[in-house]
Amino acid sequence: MKHQCPAVRPREFRSRESRTGRALPVLALLVGTAALVGCTREDTSTAHPPGSDRPAETRTVGPPADTFAADRFAADTSPPLTSPDHRSTPAGTDTTTTRPVRPLRRVTLAATGDILVHSRVAEMARSGDGYDFTPLLAGVAPLVSAVDLAVCHLEVPITPDGRVTGYPTFSAPTELADAISEVGWDTCSTASNHSLDRGPAGVTATLDHLDRVGVAHAGTARSPSEAGRPTVIRTPSGVSVGHVSATYGLNGFRPDAPWRVDLLDPALITSRARAARSAGAEIVVASIHWGEEYRPEPTEQQKSLAREILSAGEVDLIVGHHAHVVQPLGWFSGRPVAYGLGNLLANMPSKTGIGAMDGVVLEIRLEEIPTGRFRVTELRPHVTFTDPNTLQVRPVDEDHPAYVRTSRHLRAWKASE
């Protein structure tokens, strides 16, 4: 798709079709599965893997609604994965006027977890004199390419000088940006605790390479003017989506300027979201780097922040990162929060048992309501697992341990409330 920014931010991005340089292997989805991987500290232990807007054409990502999402989670999760009141009006909506009657639009999004290039991840991506991360990520391509807009979380900076490093200060090969584009992501959040691992030069290199491959970004900036310009992506169906991103901290690094990385502040996120709406966004997604590592339940701070951000009425949904394990799904003011999507790509085989090689590709379905605003109507978590031997991400079925672990983590909302 063409990434069309508001008039104040004229940048052209190649369409999804033109960005795809080669055909990717299509992996059959198994009972609604797929996801991602991430974490900070590299695990060097030995791996031991276990035993649109088209009423006439409905896009189907994963299994039919009566399998994985609707029955297995909606019946056991509180609140349900479907919107608590599909007919109600989102908070902050002006109900005094309505637009002229016209067909109401639908849009599907997908959000994925942390992309964290440990040293072994880079080694597995080695190809000739360079790197190719596409084989590691291709397993989720059918999911991220099937929706109208796919959102990734790029937790690490891209190298500004050719030096590739892993934990504790990351610096990923430039070819990572090519794989992100080729597999099908349209925008990436770049605000994380590792954003400044390579300093301002790393921020610049990361955004330069995402620009080069036609992928939008949010959360970090190369200049004050860029920091003030909202990221708004126009989907092929004509719906404009705003993307904002923020992080709880920077691992002790001090930014050279306050605008370099957006830090987690509900007022700032609301302001960024409002600016995106002023620039034409009809939906706003917030990617937030927060929580405690390896904790499947959201912290009280996460819940408090989610409530404050969503109740302000400018952000339509929150997708969370940093915990490196899947966390539950919840609702505030009729709007969903996915506290943690797990890891999309990382090297943590010794933590397989607690879910550090598991992830979720979260499919989000939204429908327009008569006021012109959009409302989330369904969340479909597709479970994935990263093979500790090959580091290839693949969807898994209900018999896989990752599926069982993720099911348990998604249901943890009951215990956490």
Side-chain angles (χ1 to χ4, degrees), residues 55-127:
E57 177 188 352
T58 303
R59 289 175 180 262
T60 301
V61 181
D66 61 352
T67 56
F68 186 85
D71 286 347
R72 303 188 187 282
F73 284 125
D76 299 322
T77 305
S78 176
L81 298 189
T82 51
S83 173
D85 183 0
H86 174 74
R87 298 161 298 176
S88 64
T89 302
T93 301
D94 180 2
T95 59
T96 60
T97 60
T98 58
R99 298 183 179 185
V101 176
R102 60 174 174 76
L104 299 180
R105 295 167 294 169
R106 298 177 181 177
V107 64
T108 56
L109 313 178
T112 56
D114 302 1
I115 295 178
L116 199 60
V117 183
H118 290 113
S119 296
R120 184 165 176 263
V121 174
E123 291 170 6
M124 295 299 287
R126 268 290 186 184
S127 179

Side-chain angles (χ1 to χ4, degrees), residues 22 30 44 181 197 304 336 388:
R22 61 179 181 274
L30 303 175
T44 57
S181 175
D197 279 7
S304 176

Side-chain angles (χ1 to χ4, degrees), residues 18 50 66 109 120 145 169 187 201 208 229 231 256 270 388 394:
S18 64
D66 61 352
L109 313 178
R120 184 165 176 263
S145 63
T169 52
T187 182
D208 284 350
R229 291 194 297 265
T231 298
D256 61 320
T270 298
R394 71 178 191 274

Side-chain angles (χ1 to χ4, degrees), residues 174-347:
T174 60
E175 291 90 340
L176 178 60
D178 298 271
I180 288 170
S181 175
E182 291 177 15
V183 171
W185 282 280
D186 302 288
T187 182
C188 288
S189 55
T190 54
S192 81
N193 58 319
H194 290 288
S195 293
L196 293 181
D197 279 7
R198 294 302 309 277
V203 172
T204 297
T206 301
L207 305 188
D208 284 350
H209 284 286
L210 290 176
D211 285 349
R212 173 178 61 81
V213 298
V215 175
H217 41 78
T220 58
R222 290 162 287 199
S223 67
S225 58
E226 181 174 51
R229 291 194 297 265
T231 298
V232 179
I233 308 100
R234 189 172 179 83
T235 69
S237 57
V239 178
S240 294
V241 180
H243 188 200
V244 301
S245 169
T247 177
Y248 75 91
L250 297 166
N251 284 356
F253 289 107
R254 297 178 65 87
D256 61 320
W259 45 262
R260 184 71 66 185
V261 183
D262 277 355
L263 297 177
L264 179 50
D265 172 38
L268 176 62
I269 293 171
T270 298
S271 175
R272 296 287 196 217
R274 187 176 295 118
R277 290 194 184 277
S278 296
E282 300 168 276
I283 297 165
V284 178
V285 179
S287 297
I288 302 181
H289 202 82
W290 60 359
E292 294 181 11
E293 291 183 336
Y294 316 118
R295 172 174 167 155
E297 302 86 8
T299 64
E300 290 302 318
Q301 182 183 46
Q302 281 178 280
K303 289 184 281 187
S304 176
L305 289 168
R307 181 181 292 107
E308 185 174 353
I309 293 167
L310 293 175
S311 64
E314 299 293 345
V315 171
D316 293 294
L317 64 139
I318 294 173
V319 291
H321 311 280
H322 176 64
H324 307 308
V325 293
V326 175
Q327 293 183 317
L329 308 169
W331 298 83
F332 290 107
S333 302
R335 298 161 188 261
V337 51
Y339 285 105
L341 297 179
N343 284 328
L344 179 61
L345 183 61
N347 182 47

Side-chain angles (χ1 to χ4, degrees), residues 145-171:
S145 63
V147 298
D148 296 301
L149 184 79
V151 182
C152 89
H153 180 54
L154 181 54
E155 185 170 355
V156 300
I158 289 176
T159 179
D161 55 13
R163 184 163 59 94
V164 175
T165 58
Y167 180 84
T169 52
F170 290 89
S171 187

